[in-house]
Amino acid sequence: MKVAKFGGSSLASASQIKKVFDIVQADKQRKFIVVSAPGKRSGADTKVTDALIAYYKAYKSDDEKGIHYYQNCIIERFREIYDELGLKSPVINQIAENINHLAQLDLDNVFTYDTFLAAGENNNAKLVADFFNHSGLPSRYVHPSDAGIMVSSDPGNARLLGGAYEHIKYLNELEETLIIPGFFGITKEGEVCTFSRGGSDITGSIIAAGVRAELYENFTDVNGIFAAHPGIVKNPAYISELTYREMRELAYSGFSVLHDEALVPAYRAHVPLVIKNTNNPDHPGTKIVVQRETKGSPVVGIASSSAFSSLYVSKYLMNREVGFGRKVLSVLENLGVRFEHMPTGIDDMSIIIRSRYLTQPISKALISNLTESLHPDEVYIDRDFSIITIVGEDMKEHVGVTARATAALSKQGISIAMLSQGSSEVSVMFIVKEKYEKEALKAIYSAFFD
């Protein structure tokens, strides 16, 4: 059996939902269908989830006019799809009742915001199931509580509870095509709790792992994954196959096709995943496997990400001072600051941190606490960095990969501020000033693919 997840762009309109139906009907193995909320129909359109966020804010601020406005917008969006699909069932009334009821929830409940957010996926699943049945494909809407998706009580950051897979596997016993809303699970107390944004990918991965699917198909609006961002590199190479480790590195480093947390359940269950295009379903897409057979270029992809800062700490004979690194990290931990990478020298270390965590008060406290506890020779924060990451499990079998990349940057006159490479040799990260990000990515891409 296969699990197929369809993103917001794949379900943005009635015509898109009809494409989804054709895809599901074309392969009887596609039994488990995970759906997102309706996305944008055009660049100027609004995602249903974004409308739900605005609805919640209006409710929280007691904006009666705003409440009615967003209720009507969201209900009419679903009604438009319902009418264009030619449906006659009471499902649209159920959806309207659910949307209106959100404005009666307890604002003191920490799960109320998650309940608002999840309404897009939950109601869309009802609509899709109704259309599938209307079109002759026996289908069943399955709420996450009935699917066994039991999660921790962490609003906006839910984690699947141990033992949940034992419940999820029983979905195999149901005969219909199952339509499951993505993005959220249910706590032990029966509260709606969402995964991080983009979490429908996580739901699909969880279901694929729980039912031990043959394949997890993630349908979106692109043919697959490319070796670099098409908005930066013109006509980048298409990747036919890569490993979970490679995809994890690329997703972390800036590839937005797939939510990086979604890889974990499918990876651990050894379920292969394929990125496919709803608008071009015959294209093979990009397959993600535990271990790939294809060989070729040592680098499969190049990603970039911006808005990083560097915390620089220097002290003569630092390497002889036992516990120096631990003390630095303790200061970060006490201030609730998460770090990304830590290139080090003999007497200095640079800690790479996402700039959004370094507000002015946090930065001031960080410098003060480090100065007081470590008495460094230098400590300061440097901002506006980007990270260019080259990824490929075969890099370790090729000599001179890093040299090719650094030579390409040198040729363009781009200085490398820092370089980071793990012992696994799956990725190498080049840290450059943010203003050189696009030029650096293009230069490195040309070194391996042109």
Side-chain angles (χ1 to χ4, degrees), residues 3 43 115 117 214 257 263 283 288 293 312 353 363 379 414 435 444 450:
V3 172
T115 305
L117 290 182
E214 171 194 342
V257 174
L263 299 172
H283 192 283
I288 303 169
E293 301 296 330
Y312 178 78
I353 301 166
S363 298
V379 55
I414 300 172
K435 62 182 179 180
I444 295 175
D450 286 351

Side-chain angles (χ1 to χ4, degrees), residues 84-298:
E84 290 181 8
L85 291 174
L87 300 177
K88 303 295 182 183
S89 72
V91 68
I92 191 61
N93 297 327
Q94 297 168 11
I95 291 172
E97 182 180 354
N98 176 263
I99 297 300
N100 288 327
H101 178 71
L102 293 173
Q104 299 175 28
L105 298 177
D106 182 4
L107 282 170
D108 292 329
N109 186 335
V110 296
F111 297 99
T112 291
Y113 181 57
D114 284 32
T115 305
F116 268 78
L117 290 182
E121 277 77 9
N122 194 37
N123 286 300
N124 209 27
K126 297 174 187 176
L127 190 62
V128 170
D130 194 64
F131 174 65
F132 278 23
N133 279 309
H134 171 78
S135 301
L137 181 62
S139 302
R140 180 191 298 197
Y141 155 75
V142 182
H143 190 271
S145 59
D146 298 319
I149 306 175
M150 307 305 296
V151 298
S152 61
S153 298
D154 300 305
N157 195 33
R159 293 288 184 272
L160 195 70
L161 295 178
Y165 286 123
E166 289 300 309
H167 296 281
I168 293 171
K169 73 178 183 181
Y170 288 113
L171 294 176
N172 281 308
E173 298 180 6
L174 302 179
E175 294 183 359
E176 306 102 321
T177 297
L178 307 183
I179 314 298
I180 305 165
F183 189 29
F184 71 100
I186 301 297
T187 69
K188 288 182 178 179
E189 294 73 31
E191 300 282 3
V192 169
C193 193
T194 63
F195 301 112
S196 51
R197 189 86 188 257
S200 291
D201 290 336
I202 299 176
T203 301
S205 188
I206 287 171
I207 296 297
V211 301
R212 294 289 171 173
E214 171 194 342
L215 184 67
Y216 170 28
E217 298 176 308
N218 194 297
F219 282 88
T220 181
D221 54 5
V222 294
N223 284 336
I225 298 171
F226 297 92
H229 195 301
I232 300 175
V233 175
K234 187 177 180 180
N235 298 321
Y238 155 73
I239 305 172
S240 60
E241 186 177 57
L242 70 165
T243 68
Y244 273 103
R245 293 177 70 187
E246 291 168 335
M247 187 64 241
R248 156 67 175 146
E249 295 278 353
L250 290 169
Y252 164 79
S253 301
F255 276 31
S256 59
V257 174
L258 188 66
H259 195 290
D260 58 353
E261 287 185 38
L263 299 172
V264 179
Y267 166 72
R268 289 178 175 166
H270 287 200
V271 177
L273 185 157
V274 63
I275 307 293
K276 291 180 71 70
N277 190 345
T278 303
N279 302 313
N280 188 17
D282 293 332
H283 192 283
T286 297
K287 196 169 187 178
I288 303 169
V289 295
V290 175
Q291 186 173 358
R292 60 184 168 90
E293 301 296 330
T294 56
K295 299 290 181 181
S297 171

Side-chain angles (χ1 to χ4, degrees), residues 328-345:
V328 172
L329 296 181
S330 293
V331 171
L332 290 172
E333 182 181 7
N334 292 337
L335 290 172
V337 177
R338 190 183 80 184
F339 79 96
E340 304 295 323
H341 312 286
M342 193 165 60
T344 62

Side-chain angles (χ1 to χ4, degrees), residues 31 45 75 77 152 158 219 253 262 292 303 347 380 392 403 414 421 429:
K31 180 179 176 182
D45 201 8
I75 292 169
R77 179 70 183 277
S152 61
F219 282 88
S253 301
R292 60 184 168 90
D347 292 331
Y380 60 84
I414 300 172
Q421 180 175 9
M429 298 181 180

